Amino acid sequence: MIKDIYIVRHGQTDFNLKGIVQGSGVDASLNDTGRKQAAEFFKAYGHFPFDKLYISNLKRTYESVKEFIDQGLSFEKLSGLNEISWGTREGQPFTPEENKYYYAMLDRWKNGETSLPVEGGESPDQVAMRQLDAMKYIMSKQEERKVLICMHGRAMRILLAQLFNYPLSDMDIFQHSNLALYHIRATKNMFQMVKYNDKGHLSAGI
């Protein structure tokens, strides 16, 4: 069986714009740019015969693909697709102190300490475990041959590292942009990258 999986990151929020950490604990809405990105993605893919849509529990994913839902595409929320929890750092602006902490954590993860959680939050290993359950569920639906997933930046990096058998310490090789698309073809034994962080459907500057 071949399953085509299309993964997009949610559209821009004001928190993205201002450099404020959201994580899974900040349930922000899209801003004007995010809504434009969502509209352009729908314009490019609204005709596409997706069998199912999966989103996280956070409204920025729902709002990013709302036009598909309004058109009647069946959807399901999976908590396993939620963004990583940044714990006590969520909702905090990037002060020099916060910046230092954030990049220190990223460096430690890159050095292999992926079991290390953010203060009050999650580790990449913990996110990977809940994603594993979500992907097992999605892959078990054999009748769903073309699946659209809308999720979050850090969570996407963790998921893609898992799918392509990279250690989580290498997750930052997978870039992401608001409403950019990854197309992955799944067969019984492997995942093939068809499109990598594709932004061809988006106007320049958004």
Side-chain angles (χ1 to χ4, degrees):
M1 182 195 79
I2 294 175
K3 186 189 287 276
D4 284 294
I5 303 170
Y6 298 80
I7 305 176
V8 292
R9 184 187 175 203
H10 63 81
Q12 188 186 86
T13 70
D14 280 339
F15 284 77
N16 294 148
L17 192 61
K18 296 173 182 176
I20 298 174
V21 173
Q22 291 176 104
S24 59
V26 174
D27 201 10
S29 286
L30 302 188
N31 61 16
D32 287 344
T33 297
R35 287 187 285 272
K36 288 176 185 174
Q37 291 164 338
E40 291 198 352
F41 179 68
F42 180 76
K43 183 178 179 181
Y45 287 92
H47 67 285
F48 198 78
F50 292 115
D51 296 310
K52 186 71 174 285
L53 165 64
Y54 291 95
I55 61 176
S56 76
N57 286 336
L58 300 166
K59 63 187 175 186
R60 55 191 182 270
T61 60
Y62 176 88
E63 292 174 2
S64 297
V65 289
K66 184 177 182 298
E67 289 186 82
F68 292 90
I69 295 168
D70 290 346
Q71 188 173 255
L73 179 60
S74 176
F75 78 101
E76 193 167 346
K77 294 181 179 180
L78 297 178
S79 60
L81 300 176
N82 283 0
E83 180 59 299
I84 191 171
S85 169
W86 287 102
T88 59
R89 265 57 194 183
E90 291 181 345
Q92 299 300 313
F94 268 93
T95 62
E97 181 183 343
E98 291 296 331
N99 218 25
K100 184 177 179 181
Y101 177 84
Y102 176 79
Y103 285 105
M105 289 299 299
L106 295 187
D107 284 343
R108 293 182 73 174
W109 291 343
K110 286 177 184 176
N111 289 329
E113 295 183 68
T114 54
S115 64
L116 180 69
V118 181
E119 181 182 303
E122 290 179 294
S123 69
D125 287 359
Q126 289 171 319
V127 176
M129 288 302 296
R130 59 174 167 83
Q131 288 181 348
L132 190 61
D133 289 338
M135 288 306 297
K136 279 182 180 177
Y137 177 75
I138 292 170
M139 294 302 294
S140 73
K141 305 293 183 179
Q142 295 189 16
E143 70 280 7
E144 297 169 10
R145 297 298 182 90
K146 295 185 185 336
V147 172
L148 176 60
I149 297 174
C150 186
M151 53 187 304
H152 307 265
R154 179 58 52 182
M156 279 178 66
R157 285 178 158 153
I158 294 169
L159 177 61
L160 291 166
Q162 290 198 88
L163 295 183
F164 291 98
N165 294 315
Y166 282 84
L168 293 186
S169 56
D170 288 344
M171 62 184 154
D172 283 345
I173 67 172
F174 295 101
Q175 299 176 3
H176 59 73
S177 306
N178 294 114
L179 258 305
L181 175 76
Y182 278 89
H183 174 194
I184 297 161
R185 182 157 291 151
T187 61
K188 185 175 182 181
N189 297 315
M190 65 175 289
F191 293 92
Q192 174 191 356
M193 185 76 74
V194 181
K195 288 186 177 181
Y196 177 96
N197 198 39
D198 179 48
K199 296 176 277 190
H201 49 278
L202 299 173
S203 297
I206 73 164

